[in-house]
Amino acid sequence: MSTAIAAFNDHRTLTGPEKVAALLLAMGKPLASRLLKHFDPGELKTITRSAAALGAVPITALETLVEELAQQFSRGVDLRGTAAEVEHLLGGVLPPEQVAEIMSDVLGSSNSSTWVRLSGLPEADLAAYVGKEHPQTAALILARLTPEAAAKTLAILPRESRNALTRRMLALRPVSEATIKILENKLRDDLLNGPPRDAGANSQGRVADILNRMEPEQAEDVLSSIAEAKPVDAAALRSKMFSFNDVVNLPAKSKSVLFDRVPTEQLTMALRGTDATFRDSVLAALGARARRLIENELNGEGGSAKEIAAARRAISTTVLQLSSLGEIELTAEAA
């Protein structure tokens, strides 16, 4: 090892952590993984910083340091230590959360921490965003989210989009760091950094979403209070709100799309306690088989008031999600 160190010193003096980082990067992930497990978190951060800033190491110095890997570098390609390389090296050895913490500490607010923060956003927001992007860009975004966040986002996308994006994710080719950097900057500007340009509209949307999840009597009381001081805001909030009772006012096409997404048992539960006119209006939008199934279930008893209210809120939430994705219209005039 002393000969190897001397060879390195002929080029420039490397610190101990830099030498370790160079060796680990030269070993490759399978062999390096065995060693990384023996470092404590503090040592891992030190090595990660060194690897991220290592830069180019001449092939001659590298061959001297790791003679047993000379065959791997016989084509004369220099080694370059980058943040992406060391993040890849850590992946699979440590839990994703620990990798994200280490890389965030090394890189500040860039790279992995951006995707961790994006993965923490509501899936409805992510779905609405990727739904407006080019499919290839959307696939790249989904592929870099955490698996859990990507799965939840895909789950509320239209079936055709979900399947197409998954196929694109399978076929993704490596993307340059410069391209990823541009994408990250755009995502931070659009989704993470401060209030967007339409902050007022977004605030109304968030408040409307909160009101939609409250008990109807409570929501109406809040709206009445807002109307006394800000009638325009109250009217805007009402236009963004949707309750289960509004289902019958949806255009026929929107009803068809909605009931195709809502589980039969959830719709059955939500219809309990409704009057015959309302029930018939909803059932008329279903296929014959689904209608008979629900009618048979409704003939029996079942479901507490709490379960019925939860089912109705869930359907209202689904309506708003589908509307935000542009899959359904809430009014016949806009259809």
Side-chain angles (χ1 to χ4, degrees):
M1 181 63 72
S2 59
T3 302
I5 293 175
F8 264 107
N9 287 337
D10 287 341
H11 172 62
R12 66 181 177 90
T13 301
L14 296 180
T15 65
E18 286 175 330
K19 294 170 186 175
V20 174
L23 284 169
L24 289 171
L25 289 170
M27 288 177 186
K29 187 172 181 178
L31 184 57
S33 298
R34 302 179 188 177
L35 298 177
L36 285 170
K37 295 177 181 178
H38 299 287
F39 291 102
D40 62 39
E43 291 170 333
L44 284 171
K45 288 183 179 180
T46 300
I47 294 169
T48 301
R49 290 192 189 95
S50 298
L54 187 60
V57 177
I59 190 64
T60 53
L62 188 61
E63 287 176 343
T64 304
L65 183 61
V66 283
E67 293 179 357
E68 69 275 18
L69 295 180
Q71 183 63 37
Q72 180 179 346
F73 301 100
S74 60
R75 291 182 294 178
V77 179
D78 290 348
L79 172 70
R80 178 171 294 277
T82 66
E85 287 290 338
V86 75
E87 184 175 9
H88 175 71
L89 197 63
L90 292 173
V93 181
L94 302 173
E97 297 80 7
Q98 191 173 355
V99 174
E101 179 185 355
I102 291 172
M103 296 307 299
S104 178
D105 182 78
V106 172
L107 300 173
S109 62
S110 64
N111 292 348
S112 64
S113 61
T114 296
W115 297 101
V116 170
R117 292 171 63 199
L118 286 169
S119 297
L121 294 176
E123 55 267 23
D125 291 351
L126 291 171
Y129 187 86
V130 299
K132 298 175 183 177
E133 292 293 319
H134 185 281
Q136 194 68 12
T137 303
L140 180 58
I141 292 172
L142 290 167
R144 295 184 72 85
L145 296 175
T146 63
E148 182 181 9
K152 289 181 178 179
T153 302
L154 284 168
I156 60 176
L157 287 172
R159 180 175 179 274
E160 291 184 3
S161 297
R162 178 170 61 246
N163 293 343
L165 286 173
T166 303
R167 290 195 298 270
R168 283 181 178 269
M169 289 168 66
L170 284 171
L172 280 175
R173 296 180 179 276
V175 180
S176 70
E177 289 188 26
T179 300
I180 294 297
K181 193 71 175 178
I182 292 172
L183 178 60
E184 288 174 346
N185 289 338
K186 185 176 188 301
L187 289 169
R188 280 196 292 268
D189 289 341
D190 291 347
L191 297 174
L192 298 177
N193 291 343
R197 296 183 184 90
D198 57 345
N202 282 349
S203 296
Q204 291 175 355
R206 285 192 292 271
V207 173
D209 189 35
I210 293 171
L211 293 175
N212 274 318
R213 297 170 189 272
M214 296 172 64
E215 294 298 328
E217 297 79 7
Q218 294 174 333
E220 185 59 38
D221 183 56
V222 172
L223 279 171
S224 298
S225 175
I226 294 174
E228 292 177 3
K230 297 182 177 181
V232 175
D233 286 347
L237 285 172
R238 286 188 185 279
S239 70
K240 296 177 182 293
M241 292 180 62
F242 189 93
S243 71
F244 180 70
N245 291 335
D246 297 321
V247 165
V248 294
N249 299 322
L250 289 173
K253 184 177 179 180
S254 295
K255 287 181 185 176
S256 178
V257 173
L258 170 64
F259 296 142
D260 187 51
R261 299 294 182 85
V262 173
T264 301
E265 59 272 17
Q266 188 179 79
L267 181 57
T268 302
M269 183 64 68
L271 285 173
R272 292 192 181 279
T274 58
D275 60 51
T277 301
F278 183 94
R279 186 179 302 180
D280 289 343
S281 176
V282 171
L283 294 177
L286 303 177
R289 182 175 178 277
R291 177 170 183 157
R292 286 196 301 271
L293 179 62
I294 292 178
E295 285 176 335
N296 289 336
E297 289 292 326
L298 290 175
N299 287 332
E301 296 182 357
S304 64
K306 184 177 180 180
E307 290 173 325
I308 293 172
R312 292 177 180 179
R313 281 196 297 271
I315 292 175
S316 297
T317 299
T318 301
V319 169
L320 293 172
Q321 288 175 342
L322 293 174
S323 176
S324 70
L325 293 171
E327 292 189 53
I328 65 172
E329 300 290 349
L330 300 184
T331 61
E333 290 77 12

